[in-house]
Amino acid sequence: MKKFFIGSRVIKTGIAVFFTALICEIVHISPAFAVIAAIVTIEPTIHASIQKGLIRLPASMVGAAFSVLSIYLFGASPLTYTAAAFLTILVCYKLKLHAGLIVATITAVAMIDVAHTSLWADFWARLGGSVIGIIISTLVNMLILPPNYFKKSREQLDLVISHTNELLHAFVDLRIKKTQGDQPVHSLTAAFRKLTDERLLLEQYVQHQQLEIRYHLPNSNAKAVLDNEAALTQKLKLIHYHLWNMIHAGRSGKQLHWNPEQRSRFTAAAEAVQERLSHWMKEDQMSDKGQFQDLFQSFWSINMPKDPSDGYFPIESIYLYELLSIHELIYDQHSGKTHLLVQKEAMLSD
């Protein structure tokens, strides 16, 4: 049975709506437009709230202005709603106020169906309500349960590393050891697509935190950890590039001309890569460089085909090059990383 859980965004939306309605009651402004603006302004990040808030303010002015103009020209009729919505969408689109399009259109249409004593007074009242909602929701997003993507990015990073290892292990079993029989390599392609989606989510978390950190007090440790994590994420992107090249080469149907000893040597090196990758976020683990020197020598000892119609590179050379490239990326990442990760563990525990 799933546990009932209320997320921080839901809580912040409720708080923003309460304070928006409260302030509107105090200043004697209808809270309806302000509450709508407050609801749609709550964003996953502080940066998004501020940036979109700055766009929604002028967009709300556009919607209120066209609502007043439509009422003045057509009165309360179907044509009034059409003109207010159409003109608001058109102008917001031309002014590139896309983030404020919904708030502006709702403001324009909703203003028509209220009692009007003075169109000028209605304009400032509705616009003022929208401004209150946008400002309150932005402040709530900044001050109450502010977004923190450090923990999410770390958990996602661990997940991506684990699944990268699993995919490399499956590739070795399927293409090198041949322990999975005639299982099609399409299973590797599907697994790689899933891994790519997970890495893209990791990149999104890192990007969000990079935007969020500018709205917090200066913290050199947090900045250093974030920069390192961003660099590590880029390394993973390159590792996945080389891993995909191995998977794609295996789809060509070419036979692997290795004896059992050569297959065993490649398998041992792949297992060493997996071991090092699994300790990427932990203590530095040095692997035996000798086995990679052997692979390096094997790579240069391969005879290249004389007939280009058979392909420029033998499949053995592709496998060796890509695995050596992955090892080099992982080996380079270890330098100067341990201290930064200790700092991050301390930050996450606070």
Side-chain angles (χ1 to χ4, degrees):
M1 184 176 181
K2 294 183 178 180
K3 295 182 179 180
F4 181 75
F5 178 75
I6 300 177
S8 60
R9 191 173 179 182
V10 176
I11 296 174
K12 289 190 290 187
T13 301
I15 295 174
V17 168
F18 172 77
F19 282 105
T20 298
L22 180 63
I23 293 175
C24 287
E25 290 292 336
I26 293 174
V27 298
H28 303 290
I29 293 178
S30 174
F33 302 99
V35 167
I36 292 173
I39 291 173
V40 300
T41 305
I42 292 291
E43 296 289 339
T45 66
I46 298 174
H47 177 79
S49 291
I50 294 176
Q51 295 297 315
K52 292 184 179 181
L54 294 175
I55 295 175
R56 285 164 178 156
L57 286 174
S60 297
M61 294 182 65
V62 171
F66 279 121
S67 179
V68 171
L69 178 62
S70 299
I71 294 171
Y72 176 76
L73 294 176
F74 307 111
S77 67
L79 186 59
T80 309
Y81 292 94
T82 304
F86 176 79
L87 292 174
T88 299
I89 294 172
L90 179 64
V91 172
C92 286
Y93 181 80
K94 291 295 184 180
L95 296 178
K96 298 183 178 180
L97 301 175
H98 304 106
L101 193 58
I102 295 177
V103 176
T105 307
I106 292 175
T107 300
V109 173
M111 278 185 63
I112 299 172
D113 197 30
V114 295
H116 303 284
T117 55
S118 170
L119 291 179
W120 187 249
D122 286 341
F123 170 79
W124 288 110
R126 306 315 175 196
L127 179 60
S130 298
V131 170
I132 290 173
I134 292 170
I135 293 176
I136 291 298
S137 62
T138 302
L139 291 175
V140 168
N141 205 28
M142 291 179 63
L143 302 176
I144 300 176
L145 301 175
N148 186 348
Y149 288 93
F150 270 120
K151 184 177 180 180
K152 288 183 177 180
S153 64
R154 174 58 188 273
E155 292 175 349
Q156 189 67 18
L157 182 59
D158 290 339
L159 179 67
V160 172
I161 290 175
S162 175
H163 288 176
T164 301
N165 266 342
E166 291 177 5
L167 183 56
L168 179 57
H169 180 77
F171 169 80
V172 172
D173 283 347
L174 182 62
R175 293 294 300 164
I176 308 301
K177 293 182 180 179
K178 296 288 187 177
T179 58
Q180 298 187 24
D182 295 329
Q183 181 179 348
V185 294
H186 298 297
S187 61
L188 298 177
T189 303
F192 183 82
R193 288 174 180 170
K194 180 180 178 182
L195 180 62
T196 300
D197 291 338
E198 293 171 347
R199 194 197 72 246
L200 292 175
L201 182 59
L202 170 62
E203 293 177 0
Q204 181 180 346
Y205 287 155
V206 172
Q207 183 181 22
H208 283 338
Q209 193 58 41
Q210 287 175 327
L211 295 174
E212 292 298 289
I213 200 170
R214 69 181 68 178
Y215 301 104
H216 299 280
L217 294 176
N219 187 327
S220 58
N221 289 342
K223 183 65 167 60
V225 169
L226 186 59
D227 290 343
N228 180 76
E229 192 168 89
L232 195 151
T233 302
Q234 290 302 311
K235 290 276 188 178
L236 274 173
K237 186 176 183 179
L238 295 175
I239 288 173
H240 289 176
Y241 166 77
H242 291 292
L243 182 56
W244 169 249
N245 285 344
M246 286 198 292
I247 294 173
H248 183 70
R251 298 171 61 184
S252 64
K254 295 181 180 179
Q255 293 298 320
L256 187 61
H257 302 291
W258 273 346
N259 58 42
E261 181 182 354
Q262 291 172 317
R263 291 175 184 268
S264 176
R265 192 182 305 155
F266 185 93
T267 300
E271 290 173 351
V273 166
Q274 295 173 53
E275 179 68 18
R276 177 177 285 275
L277 187 57
S278 65
H279 290 86
W280 228 8
M281 302 301 294
K282 301 175 184 178
E283 296 180 359
D284 199 350
Q285 298 286 329
M286 298 303 295
S287 59
D288 182 13
K289 295 183 180 179
Q291 57 189 331
F292 291 98
Q293 287 292 342
D294 292 340
L295 287 185
F296 183 74
Q297 296 298 330
S298 299
F299 173 77
W300 288 108
S301 64
I302 294 176
N303 294 322
M304 293 298 170
K306 298 180 180 180
D307 185 2
S309 62
D310 295 332
Y312 292 105
F313 303 102
I315 193 169
E316 294 84 1
S317 66
I318 296 175
Y319 286 173
L320 290 173
Y321 172 79
E322 303 300 348
L323 185 64
L324 287 169
S325 298
I326 293 174
H327 170 261
E328 186 176 20
L329 287 168
I330 298 173
Y331 181 80
D332 289 344
Q333 184 62 30
H334 274 286
S335 301
K337 174 180 62 63
T338 304
H339 179 61
L340 292 173
L341 294 174
V342 172
Q343 290 177 342
K344 181 163 187 178
E345 292 292 348
M347 292 168 54
L348 293 174
S349 62
D350 289 341

